[in-house]
Amino acid sequence: MNVCRYKAWFEFVEERSTGKNRPFFTISSLLICTAFLLASISANGWTLEAFSVNPMLGPSAETLVSMGAKESLLIVQNGEVWRIISAMVLHAGLIHFVLNMLALWFVGKAVEQCHGFFPSLLLFVVPGIGGTILSAIFLPNMVSVGASGGIFGLIGACLADIYMNWGLLFNKFVNRKNNHVHIYVLLALLVDVIVNSLIGLTPFVDNFTRKYRLYIRIYNAISDLPLFTNFHRNCSTDLGGMIFG
């Protein structure tokens, strides 16, 4: 019987030296989101709306809708189901974009280097699509955009990983040299959840999809991710090193 497992540390180091585990999905996502941000600002006449209109310093709601924001009426009545995906690569403005891309780079890179391209793709896209569909159903009158849902999916996987392997990550042997860096990683993830939840109170950003994606990803990750053993050092024992540097 084939059993899914994490990479051993020596495998991770070997792949890193050959470039096989470089975060291609994370880099591609950053480039796509950047291109869509520039396109949305261009469609808005290379101007940003007033802070009172869009506190994220970005284009108008009309521009975001024309670019592919989640708009339930258009999805249901006009059959524009592509908005379920396009909304994931759009951002409400510069503030929204910068915060999301920082989180995506540090968290997404760490997850991808541990688990690979396709698992990271699934961790990002599946919760994102599911959350957008539920948002369209339960918040039909709200226009929303952002990669936050996919990022929450990655964060949920990290939190589930930490929960499942708490005894390994926080024992004295693992932390004998890094001064409990995993505690700082956990705090950083929780701070990111709080900050993103606060951003979700602003226009065009949907907290409903964020929280759904986080909760469902934690549940799925706990169900699916294999446990570590206490006899082999795994790449997650150096998760802090990858997130912070």
Side-chain angles (χ1 to χ4, degrees):
M1 181 178 65
N2 294 326
V3 178
C4 180
R5 67 175 181 86
Y6 287 83
K7 294 183 179 74
W9 182 249
F10 75 89
E11 293 175 315
F12 171 76
V13 173
E14 288 178 355
E15 288 189 358
R16 180 169 58 182
S17 64
T18 60
K20 292 182 179 179
N21 71 329
R22 291 185 179 178
F24 294 113
F25 169 73
T26 303
I27 294 173
S28 299
S29 299
L30 288 169
L31 293 176
I32 293 172
C33 289
T34 300
F36 271 84
L37 175 72
L38 294 175
S40 65
I41 295 177
S42 173
N44 205 55
W46 293 108
T47 60
L48 304 178
E49 297 299 316
F51 184 81
S52 58
V53 176
N54 185 348
M56 291 290 100
L57 302 180
S60 65
E62 291 77 14
T63 298
L64 291 174
V65 170
S66 68
M67 291 294 298
K70 187 224 78 182
E71 171 61 81
S72 299
L73 186 64
L74 296 177
I75 294 174
V76 175
Q77 294 191 357
N78 294 2
E80 298 179 6
V81 294
W82 50 269
R83 290 181 179 273
I84 294 173
I85 297 177
S86 62
M88 294 171 55
V89 295
L90 287 168
H91 286 83
L94 296 176
I95 297 176
H96 188 203
F97 171 80
V98 170
L99 292 175
N100 269 356
M101 294 305 99
L102 286 174
L104 177 59
W105 174 247
F106 288 109
V107 178
K109 179 181 66 171
V111 171
E112 186 172 1
Q113 288 182 324
C114 272
H115 303 289
F117 180 92
F118 290 107
S120 299
L121 175 67
L122 292 175
L123 287 169
F124 184 88
V125 173
V126 173
I129 292 177
T132 303
I133 292 174
L134 287 182
S135 174
I137 295 173
F138 293 103
L139 297 174
N141 298 320
M142 183 175 182
V143 174
S144 63
V145 294
S148 307
I151 295 170
F152 266 50
L154 295 170
I155 292 175
C158 285
L159 292 176
D161 210 345
I162 292 173
Y163 168 77
M164 290 169 60
N165 303 284
W166 188 275
L168 175 62
L169 296 175
F170 294 96
N171 66 43
K172 293 182 180 180
F173 177 78
V174 171
N175 292 286
R176 67 191 187 283
K177 294 182 179 180
N178 56 19
N179 297 320
H180 302 288
V181 69
H182 295 108
I183 295 178
Y184 303 140
V185 172
L186 179 59
L187 291 176
L189 291 173
L190 294 177
V191 168
D192 188 55
V193 171
I194 294 172
V195 171
N196 273 277
S197 296
L198 292 176
I199 293 176
L201 300 176
T202 61
F204 317 130
V205 185
D206 185 356
N207 253 344
F208 183 90
T209 56
R210 292 160 174 253
K211 291 179 179 179
Y212 161 79
R213 291 156 179 164
L214 175 66
Y215 298 153
I216 199 67
R217 189 60 256 164
I218 290 176
Y219 172 79
N220 286 343
I222 290 176
S223 301
D224 298 337
L225 290 178
L227 291 171
F228 293 147
T229 70
N230 289 322
F231 305 103
H232 299 281
R233 186 177 182 188
N234 186 271
C235 65
S236 276
T237 62
D238 201 48
L239 182 63
M242 288 186 288
I243 289 181
F244 289 134

